[in-house]
Amino acid sequence: LAKTLTPELLVVSPLRRATETILIAFKDAVRNGVPVLAHGACREQIGVHTCDRRSSRTDYVESFPKVDVSHVKHDEDPTSWTQRESKLELAQRAHDFLLWLLQRPEMEIVVGTHSAFLMGLFHIALEISDDSMKQF
């Protein structure tokens, strides 16, 4: 599928698994100079689980030197270890990310993110009529 797309920009969550997936799936695009930008707003649901936390910005840059981290605000992950982000907070963050994305000049953008983030995004961006699909 990645070979059929012609992205002008690759936006990734600053969590390693999302970044690695995009860099592998779109290695030809990256090799051809398509920029890769890490954005803190499209990360996994923030919470108490180790898998929801990111490494430091410094370590991330060492691991992924070609990824622009200008939208990762803090070196250390400032999120809480004691409280999970609510679904409403996640949906609000997804909304803000979507507004940022819509302001971009590129016409074809690939976003590498996580299932919980996508559920939050779909929750605010889609009208769903099938009751079985409304569970989040």
Side-chain angles (χ1 to χ4, degrees):
L1 177 64
K3 293 189 184 281
T4 66
L5 301 175
T6 55
E8 299 169 63
L9 177 66
L10 304 170
V11 180
V12 296
S13 160
L15 277 69
R16 290 179 179 274
R17 62 188 184 269
T19 302
E20 289 171 346
T21 299
I22 285 294
L23 292 177
I24 291 167
F26 290 91
K27 64 183 174 195
D28 292 338
V30 173
R31 190 177 318 124
N32 290 329
V34 173
V36 183
L37 183 137
H39 199 298
C42 70
R43 65 178 290 164
E44 181 62 279
Q45 184 174 11
I46 296 168
V48 297
H49 305 294
T50 302
C51 64
D52 297 339
R53 303 198 45 95
R54 67 170 173 83
S55 56
S56 73
R57 183 177 160 167
T58 301
D59 289 345
Y60 184 88
V61 168
E62 286 179 20
S63 298
F64 307 107
K66 293 183 178 184
V67 178
D68 175 353
V69 294
S70 61
H71 285 84
V72 178
K73 297 178 182 173
H74 305 281
D75 186 48
E76 294 299 325
D77 192 345
T79 60
S80 172
W81 276 98
T82 60
Q83 183 176 343
R84 190 157 176 95
E85 179 180 39
S86 73
K87 290 179 173 58
L88 178 58
E89 291 168 326
L90 174 59
Q92 289 169 334
R93 180 165 52 87
H95 175 263
D96 292 344
F97 176 74
L98 186 59
L99 293 177
W100 174 84
L101 203 59
L102 291 170
Q103 296 294 318
R104 297 292 308 183
E106 297 88 359
M107 296 304 295
E108 190 168 334
I109 301 173
V110 170
V111 178
T113 187
H114 310 271
S115 62
F117 178 81
L118 289 172
M119 290 297 292
L121 180 66
F122 297 157
H123 187 70
I124 57 98
L126 298 177
E127 184 175 327
I128 301 172
S129 59
D130 182 349
D131 286 340
S132 69
M133 298 296 290
K134 291 183 180 180
Q135 295 293 339
F136 176 53

